[in-house]
Amino acid sequence: MKAFIKNINLEGDKVIWAIVLALSIFSILVVYSTAGWKFLFSHLIKLSIGLFFLYQVHKIKFKYFAKIGVLGFVVSIILLILVFIMGVTVNGASRWLSIAGFQFQPSDIAKLSILLFMARQLSKYRNEIKDFTKLFLYVLAPLIVICALILPNNFSTSALIFLNGLVLMYVGRVKIKYIASIIGIGFIGALLIYGFAKTYPQSTNKIMPRSTTWVNRIDSYISTEKKQELDQDYQQQQALVAIYNGGFSGVGPGKSTQRNILPYSSSDFIFAIMVEEYGFIIGAVMPILFYLILFYRALRVAIKITSVFGGLLCVGLMFSLVFQAFINMLVSVGFLPVTGQTLPLISMGGTSILFTCITVGIILSVSNDTSDRQYETSSYNNFRR
């Protein structure tokens, strides 16, 4: 055992490694509290598999992720189309595929693949994308295709991927006027979908089965009627009760009273249980600080690295993780409508844990290797300017 541990060589940014391991340990404690021994065992297996893949991925030269991104983009399109044909419905949503007894969400694959693909396109065609037509063909069209395929069954994930793509374009020095135009068109499109789903719910449900759920969540979020909020927003109400119970010091590990009342307390709303049991400092401030440090370390790596592709990978991938974390926490405190997004590295899950770990592994690969110049004619630091 000692020889095995001695042979483990953790390369890359050591601070990122430390935070990932700390959040993983914290995840074990909170999942045990919310889900019990049965689900803890399953979580430990999935977390172990995720960390194993993280370790293996961080050993890969990051230049290979450009080609992997192209392959992943094509595979994602195929899998997302298969969801419409043979998707498995879980909790009222058909987002899953079952192959050889293994269930997974293709959107998790697509979420990572499209960012890899966009980073490749932005670095490889950075001179051509100054023209909007080329920007659309090389970068924007692939993003729209992925988001459009995810949208009917998962609006929040589709919107999250779209926003991550816009941030990556901004980091990739796409003209602000182009990004502003894309945001404007996207916002108008979202309003049209909402309006059509609210006015013609039956017709919209045939195309987008989850449209009624979206409308109800948005309506309850903007509603001023307390009764409607209690009826439609039960999850957020119970999450707020958990946070209130926790207060500053928390009720203590394993002593949550809301874990059996709050739906999805081990996944979508695990942040509320963290605050209830561990209090404001350990349950809220500490994880927030850890996520911010992760993003800061990724920025440091991006600034130092000589590869444009590597810099875009670091910023884009870490932003997607940290942004998802803050979305999850803001939902728990009632600041945003319910989205169904998990808390990265903490929530109990399956494919989400695996692809979160793979994402961190890619970032660690970039931090470990600054010598690749396949997509470089100037340093990323100069590229930012």
Side-chain angles (χ1 to χ4, degrees):
M1 184 66 179
K2 290 182 179 179
F4 173 75
I5 295 175
K6 189 176 181 180
N7 289 330
I8 295 178
N9 183 19
L10 303 181
E11 300 174 349
D13 192 292
K14 297 301 187 289
V15 176
I16 294 178
W17 271 112
I19 292 177
V20 168
L21 294 176
L23 290 177
S24 297
I25 294 170
F26 192 45
S27 168
I28 295 171
L29 297 176
V30 183
V31 168
Y32 168 67
S33 176
T34 56
W37 280 108
K38 179 181 178 181
F39 290 98
L40 174 64
F41 182 70
S42 173
H43 178 67
L44 282 171
I45 293 175
K46 294 170 183 176
L47 183 60
S48 299
I49 293 172
L51 292 175
F52 171 78
F53 272 88
L54 187 157
Y55 179 79
Q56 297 300 327
V57 168
H58 102 288
K59 294 283 190 178
I60 301 173
K61 297 286 186 180
F62 75 84
K63 67 179 182 180
Y64 296 117
F65 292 112
K67 294 180 179 179
I68 292 174
V70 176
L71 177 62
F73 173 68
V74 175
V75 171
S76 297
I77 292 175
I78 296 171
L79 293 176
L80 290 171
I81 292 174
L82 287 176
V83 169
F84 294 104
I85 301 172
M86 49 184 290
V88 177
T89 301
V90 178
N91 296 324
S94 181
R95 304 172 182 171
W96 301 73
L97 281 179
S98 181
I99 299 177
F102 175 70
Q103 285 190 357
F104 65 96
Q105 292 192 64
S107 60
D108 287 325
I109 300 174
K111 186 162 52 176
L112 174 58
S113 297
I114 188 60
L115 291 178
L116 294 178
F117 183 73
M118 288 182 66
R120 172 192 183 272
Q121 298 295 89
L122 287 167
S123 58
K124 188 174 182 179
Y125 300 106
R126 57 185 177 274
N127 295 322
E128 288 89 337
I129 60 175
K130 294 176 182 179
D131 175 71
F132 185 80
T133 302
K134 297 290 180 63
L135 172 67
F136 180 83
L137 291 175
Y138 292 141
V139 181
L140 185 57
L143 176 64
I144 292 174
V145 169
I146 293 295
C147 291
L149 289 172
I150 295 174
L151 177 63
N153 291 310
N154 197 336
F155 178 85
S156 62
T157 298
S158 178
L160 200 62
I161 291 174
F162 187 73
L163 290 173
N164 288 335
L166 291 178
V167 170
L168 193 57
M169 282 191 275
Y170 173 76
V171 176
R173 304 302 293 169
V174 171
K175 293 180 180 179
I176 298 296
K177 64 178 182 180
Y178 292 160
I179 297 176
S181 300
I182 295 168
I183 292 173
I185 295 171
F187 182 72
I188 293 172
L191 287 179
L192 289 174
I193 292 172
Y194 170 78
F196 196 81
K198 192 172 179 64
T199 308
Y200 307 101
Q202 293 182 345
S203 300
T204 310
N205 274 334
K206 294 179 181 178
I207 305 172
M208 301 180 180
R210 298 279 294 170
S211 59
T212 301
T213 302
W214 307 339
V215 170
N216 289 339
R217 285 176 175 176
I218 294 172
D219 285 348
S220 84
Y221 175 70
I222 63 178
S223 172
T224 57
E225 298 179 16
K226 296 298 179 183
K227 183 178 183 303
Q228 184 180 4
E229 289 181 5
L230 287 170
D231 289 343
Q232 296 184 350
D233 234 358
Y234 177 79
Q235 292 170 304
Q236 283 186 321
Q237 291 294 325
Q238 296 305 319
L240 290 174
V241 171
I243 292 171
Y244 177 80
N245 289 342
F248 186 80
S249 58
V251 298
K255 297 180 180 179
S256 167
T257 59
Q258 289 296 106
R259 58 188 174 186
N260 296 321
I261 302 173
L262 174 61
Y264 307 109
S265 60
S266 60
S267 54
D268 300 359
F269 287 90
I270 198 169
F271 178 72
I273 305 301
M274 288 161 50
V275 178
E276 182 182 18
E277 293 193 348
Y278 293 91
F280 178 71
I281 299 298
I282 298 177
V285 174
M286 185 188 74
I288 290 173
L289 183 61
F290 278 175
Y291 286 121
L292 290 176
I293 293 173
L294 283 176
F295 188 60
Y296 169 72
R297 299 301 297 187
L299 284 177
R300 278 176 57 91
V301 173
I303 291 172
K304 290 181 179 180
I305 202 166
T306 58
S307 168
V308 173
F309 175 64
L312 290 172
L313 275 187
C314 254
V315 177
L317 293 181
M318 188 60 83
F319 175 83
S320 71
L321 287 184
V322 175
F323 187 50
Q324 180 179 328
F326 277 87
I327 292 292
N328 175 280
M329 292 184 283
L330 289 173
V331 167
S332 291
V333 299
F335 191 80
L336 292 176
V338 177
T339 62
Q341 298 297 320
T342 57
L343 190 59
L345 298 170
I346 296 180
S347 289
M348 183 177 72
T351 51
S352 61
I353 292 178
L354 175 61
F355 284 97
T356 295
C357 288
I358 291 174
T359 299
V360 177
I362 295 171
I363 295 168
L364 287 168
S365 171
V366 177
S367 71
N368 183 52
D369 185 353
T370 60
S371 63
D372 178 68
R373 298 175 185 271
Q374 180 175 351
Y375 292 95
E376 176 214 354
T377 56
S378 61
S379 71
Y380 176 71
N381 196 32
N382 292 333
F383 178 65
R384 291 187 309 117
R385 296 171 185 169

